[in-house]
Short mmCIF file of all heavy atoms in Angstrom, two decimals:
data_model
loop_
_atom_site.label_atom_id
_atom_site.label_comp_id
_atom_site.label_asym_id
_atom_site.label_seq_id
_atom_site.Cartn_x
_atom_site.Cartn_y
_atom_site.Cartn_z
N GLY A 1222 -15.10 11.55 15.01
CA GLY A 1222 -14.30 10.35 14.78
C GLY A 1222 -13.65 10.36 13.41
O GLY A 1222 -12.48 9.98 13.26
N ILE A 1223 -14.41 10.80 12.41
CA ILE A 1223 -13.88 10.91 11.05
C ILE A 1223 -12.72 11.91 11.01
O ILE A 1223 -11.66 11.62 10.45
CB ILE A 1223 -14.99 11.34 10.07
CG1 ILE A 1223 -16.05 10.23 9.94
CG2 ILE A 1223 -14.42 11.69 8.70
CD1 ILE A 1223 -17.32 10.67 9.25
N LEU A 1224 -12.93 13.06 11.64
CA LEU A 1224 -11.90 14.10 11.65
C LEU A 1224 -10.65 13.65 12.40
O LEU A 1224 -9.52 13.86 11.95
CB LEU A 1224 -12.44 15.39 12.28
CG LEU A 1224 -13.64 16.05 11.62
CD1 LEU A 1224 -13.96 17.38 12.30
CD2 LEU A 1224 -13.38 16.29 10.12
N PHE A 1225 -10.86 13.01 13.56
CA PHE A 1225 -9.72 12.54 14.36
C PHE A 1225 -8.94 11.45 13.63
O PHE A 1225 -7.71 11.42 13.68
CB PHE A 1225 -10.20 12.02 15.72
CG PHE A 1225 -10.60 13.09 16.69
CD1 PHE A 1225 -11.73 12.95 17.48
CD2 PHE A 1225 -9.85 14.26 16.83
CE1 PHE A 1225 -12.11 13.93 18.39
CE2 PHE A 1225 -10.21 15.25 17.73
CZ PHE A 1225 -11.33 15.09 18.51
N TYR A 1226 -9.66 10.55 12.97
CA TYR A 1226 -8.97 9.47 12.25
C TYR A 1226 -8.16 10.04 11.09
O TYR A 1226 -7.02 9.63 10.87
CB TYR A 1226 -9.96 8.43 11.73
CG TYR A 1226 -9.26 7.28 11.02
CD1 TYR A 1226 -8.57 6.32 11.75
CD2 TYR A 1226 -9.28 7.16 9.64
CE1 TYR A 1226 -7.92 5.27 11.12
CE2 TYR A 1226 -8.63 6.12 8.99
CZ TYR A 1226 -7.95 5.17 9.74
OH TYR A 1226 -7.29 4.15 9.11
N ARG A 1227 -8.74 10.98 10.38
CA ARG A 1227 -8.01 11.61 9.28
C ARG A 1227 -6.75 12.29 9.80
O ARG A 1227 -5.67 12.19 9.21
CB ARG A 1227 -8.88 12.63 8.55
CG ARG A 1227 -8.14 13.28 7.39
CD ARG A 1227 -8.88 14.48 6.83
NE ARG A 1227 -8.04 15.14 5.84
CZ ARG A 1227 -7.13 16.06 6.12
NH1 ARG A 1227 -6.92 16.43 7.38
NH2 ARG A 1227 -6.39 16.60 5.16
N SER A 1228 -6.88 13.00 10.92
CA SER A 1228 -5.73 13.67 11.52
C SER A 1228 -4.67 12.66 11.95
O SER A 1228 -3.47 12.88 11.74
CB SER A 1228 -6.20 14.49 12.72
OG SER A 1228 -5.12 15.12 13.35
N PHE A 1229 -5.11 11.55 12.52
CA PHE A 1229 -4.19 10.50 12.96
C PHE A 1229 -3.43 9.90 11.77
O PHE A 1229 -2.20 9.76 11.81
CB PHE A 1229 -4.97 9.41 13.70
CG PHE A 1229 -4.18 8.15 13.94
CD1 PHE A 1229 -3.29 8.07 15.01
CD2 PHE A 1229 -4.33 7.06 13.10
CE1 PHE A 1229 -2.56 6.90 15.22
CE2 PHE A 1229 -3.61 5.89 13.32
CZ PHE A 1229 -2.71 5.81 14.38
N ILE A 1230 -4.17 9.57 10.71
CA ILE A 1230 -3.55 8.97 9.53
C ILE A 1230 -2.60 9.95 8.86
O ILE A 1230 -1.50 9.59 8.41
CB ILE A 1230 -4.64 8.51 8.53
CG1 ILE A 1230 -5.30 7.23 9.04
CG2 ILE A 1230 -4.06 8.26 7.15
CD1 ILE A 1230 -4.37 6.04 9.15
N ARG A 1231 -3.00 11.20 8.84
CA ARG A 1231 -2.13 12.23 8.24
C ARG A 1231 -0.81 12.33 9.00
O ARG A 1231 0.26 12.46 8.42
CB ARG A 1231 -2.86 13.57 8.25
CG ARG A 1231 -2.18 14.64 7.43
CD ARG A 1231 -3.01 15.89 7.43
NE ARG A 1231 -2.34 16.96 6.72
CZ ARG A 1231 -2.59 18.23 6.89
NH1 ARG A 1231 -3.48 18.62 7.75
NH2 ARG A 1231 -1.94 19.14 6.21
N LYS A 1232 -0.91 12.25 10.33
CA LYS A 1232 0.28 12.34 11.18
C LYS A 1232 1.20 11.12 10.99
O LYS A 1232 2.41 11.24 11.04
CB LYS A 1232 -0.19 12.42 12.65
CG LYS A 1232 0.91 12.57 13.67
CD LYS A 1232 0.32 12.77 15.06
CE LYS A 1232 -0.51 11.58 15.49
NZ LYS A 1232 -1.10 11.73 16.84
N CYS A 1233 0.58 9.96 10.75
CA CYS A 1233 1.36 8.72 10.64
C CYS A 1233 1.74 8.37 9.20
O CYS A 1233 2.48 7.41 8.98
CB CYS A 1233 0.55 7.55 11.20
SG CYS A 1233 0.18 7.68 12.95
N SER A 1234 1.22 9.12 8.25
CA SER A 1234 1.35 8.69 6.86
C SER A 1234 2.74 8.92 6.25
O SER A 1234 3.09 8.27 5.26
CB SER A 1234 0.30 9.41 5.99
OG SER A 1234 0.57 10.81 5.93
N ASN A 1235 3.53 9.84 6.82
CA ASN A 1235 4.83 10.11 6.23
C ASN A 1235 5.69 8.86 6.10
O ASN A 1235 6.28 8.59 5.06
CB ASN A 1235 5.59 11.17 7.04
CG ASN A 1235 5.10 12.57 6.76
OD1 ASN A 1235 4.40 12.79 5.77
ND2 ASN A 1235 5.43 13.51 7.62
N ASP A 1236 5.72 8.08 7.18
CA ASP A 1236 6.51 6.86 7.17
C ASP A 1236 5.95 5.87 6.15
O ASP A 1236 6.70 5.21 5.43
CB ASP A 1236 6.53 6.23 8.56
CG ASP A 1236 7.46 5.03 8.63
OD1 ASP A 1236 8.63 5.16 8.26
OD2 ASP A 1236 7.00 3.94 9.04
N PHE A 1237 4.62 5.80 6.08
CA PHE A 1237 3.97 4.90 5.11
C PHE A 1237 4.32 5.31 3.69
O PHE A 1237 4.67 4.46 2.85
CB PHE A 1237 2.46 4.93 5.33
CG PHE A 1237 1.68 4.11 4.33
CD1 PHE A 1237 1.67 2.73 4.41
CD2 PHE A 1237 0.96 4.72 3.32
CE1 PHE A 1237 0.95 1.97 3.50
CE2 PHE A 1237 0.24 3.98 2.41
CZ PHE A 1237 0.23 2.60 2.50
N VAL A 1238 4.23 6.60 3.40
CA VAL A 1238 4.53 7.10 2.05
C VAL A 1238 5.99 6.83 1.69
O VAL A 1238 6.31 6.43 0.55
CB VAL A 1238 4.22 8.62 1.96
CG1 VAL A 1238 4.76 9.20 0.65
CG2 VAL A 1238 2.73 8.86 2.08
N ILE A 1239 6.90 7.04 2.66
CA ILE A 1239 8.32 6.77 2.41
C ILE A 1239 8.53 5.30 2.08
O ILE A 1239 9.26 4.95 1.15
CB ILE A 1239 9.17 7.19 3.63
CG1 ILE A 1239 9.20 8.71 3.76
CG2 ILE A 1239 10.60 6.64 3.52
CD1 ILE A 1239 9.77 9.21 5.07
N GLN A 1240 7.89 4.43 2.84
CA GLN A 1240 8.03 3.00 2.59
C GLN A 1240 7.46 2.61 1.22
O GLN A 1240 8.04 1.79 0.52
CB GLN A 1240 7.33 2.19 3.69
CG GLN A 1240 8.06 2.27 5.03
CD GLN A 1240 7.47 1.31 6.03
OE1 GLN A 1240 7.46 0.11 5.83
NE2 GLN A 1240 6.95 1.85 7.13
N VAL A 1241 6.34 3.21 0.85
CA VAL A 1241 5.75 2.95 -0.47
C VAL A 1241 6.71 3.36 -1.57
O VAL A 1241 6.92 2.63 -2.55
CB VAL A 1241 4.40 3.68 -0.63
CG1 VAL A 1241 3.94 3.66 -2.09
CG2 VAL A 1241 3.33 3.05 0.24
N SER A 1242 7.34 4.53 -1.39
CA SER A 1242 8.26 5.04 -2.43
C SER A 1242 9.50 4.16 -2.60
O SER A 1242 10.16 4.19 -3.63
CB SER A 1242 8.69 6.47 -2.09
OG SER A 1242 9.52 6.49 -0.94
N LYS A 1243 9.79 3.36 -1.57
CA LYS A 1243 10.98 2.50 -1.63
C LYS A 1243 10.67 1.10 -2.16
O LYS A 1243 11.58 0.28 -2.31
CB LYS A 1243 11.61 2.39 -0.24
CG LYS A 1243 12.27 3.68 0.23
CD LYS A 1243 12.89 3.50 1.61
CE LYS A 1243 13.60 4.78 2.07
NZ LYS A 1243 14.18 4.63 3.42
N LEU A 1244 9.40 0.83 -2.44
CA LEU A 1244 9.06 -0.49 -2.94
C LEU A 1244 9.72 -0.71 -4.30
O LEU A 1244 9.61 0.14 -5.18
CB LEU A 1244 7.53 -0.63 -3.06
CG LEU A 1244 6.74 -0.61 -1.76
CD1 LEU A 1244 5.25 -0.60 -2.03
CD2 LEU A 1244 7.09 -1.79 -0.88
N PRO A 1245 10.38 -1.84 -4.49
CA PRO A 1245 11.16 -2.07 -5.72
C PRO A 1245 10.30 -2.60 -6.87
O PRO A 1245 10.57 -3.67 -7.43
CB PRO A 1245 12.17 -3.12 -5.25
CG PRO A 1245 11.43 -3.93 -4.24
CD PRO A 1245 10.50 -2.96 -3.53
N PHE A 1246 9.28 -1.84 -7.24
CA PHE A 1246 8.36 -2.32 -8.26
C PHE A 1246 8.43 -1.47 -9.53
O PHE A 1246 8.77 -0.29 -9.48
CB PHE A 1246 6.92 -2.34 -7.73
CG PHE A 1246 6.73 -3.23 -6.54
CD1 PHE A 1246 5.97 -2.81 -5.46
CD2 PHE A 1246 7.32 -4.48 -6.49
CE1 PHE A 1246 5.79 -3.64 -4.36
CE2 PHE A 1246 7.15 -5.32 -5.39
CZ PHE A 1246 6.39 -4.90 -4.33
N THR A 1247 8.06 -2.07 -10.63
CA THR A 1247 8.07 -1.34 -11.91
C THR A 1247 6.77 -0.57 -12.11
O THR A 1247 6.73 0.40 -12.86
CB THR A 1247 8.25 -2.32 -13.09
OG1 THR A 1247 7.17 -3.28 -13.07
CG2 THR A 1247 9.57 -3.05 -12.99
N CYS A 1248 5.70 -0.99 -11.42
CA CYS A 1248 4.43 -0.29 -11.57
C CYS A 1248 4.43 0.99 -10.72
O CYS A 1248 5.20 1.12 -9.77
CB CYS A 1248 3.26 -1.19 -11.18
SG CYS A 1248 3.35 -1.84 -9.50
N SER A 1249 3.55 1.90 -11.08
CA SER A 1249 3.45 3.17 -10.36
C SER A 1249 2.57 2.98 -9.12
O SER A 1249 1.48 2.42 -9.20
CB SER A 1249 2.83 4.22 -11.29
OG SER A 1249 2.44 5.37 -10.57
N VAL A 1250 3.06 3.46 -7.96
CA VAL A 1250 2.30 3.39 -6.71
C VAL A 1250 2.28 4.79 -6.09
O VAL A 1250 3.33 5.40 -5.89
CB VAL A 1250 2.94 2.40 -5.71
CG1 VAL A 1250 2.05 2.27 -4.47
CG2 VAL A 1250 3.17 1.04 -6.34
N SER A 1251 1.09 5.29 -5.79
CA SER A 1251 0.98 6.61 -5.17
C SER A 1251 -0.05 6.57 -4.05
O SER A 1251 -0.89 5.66 -3.99
CB SER A 1251 0.59 7.67 -6.21
OG SER A 1251 -0.65 7.32 -6.83
N THR A 1252 0.02 7.54 -3.14
CA THR A 1252 -0.91 7.60 -2.01
C THR A 1252 -1.44 9.02 -1.85
O THR A 1252 -0.83 9.98 -2.33
CB THR A 1252 -0.22 7.20 -0.68
OG1 THR A 1252 0.83 8.14 -0.40
CG2 THR A 1252 0.38 5.80 -0.76
#
Side-chain angles (χ1 to χ4, degrees):
I1223 293 168
L1224 300 185
F1225 285 138
Y1226 182 74
R1227 181 191 173 274
S1228 178
F1229 168 81
I1230 285 296
R1231 191 177 176 202
K1232 182 175 62 180
C1233 297
S1234 66
N1235 281 345
D1236 186 53
F1237 176 74
V1238 170
I1239 290 168
Q1240 290 189 61
V1241 167
S1242 69
K1243 290 181 178 178
L1244 294 174
F1246 299 138
T1247 59
C1248 57
S1249 167
V1250 185
S1251 58
T1252 63

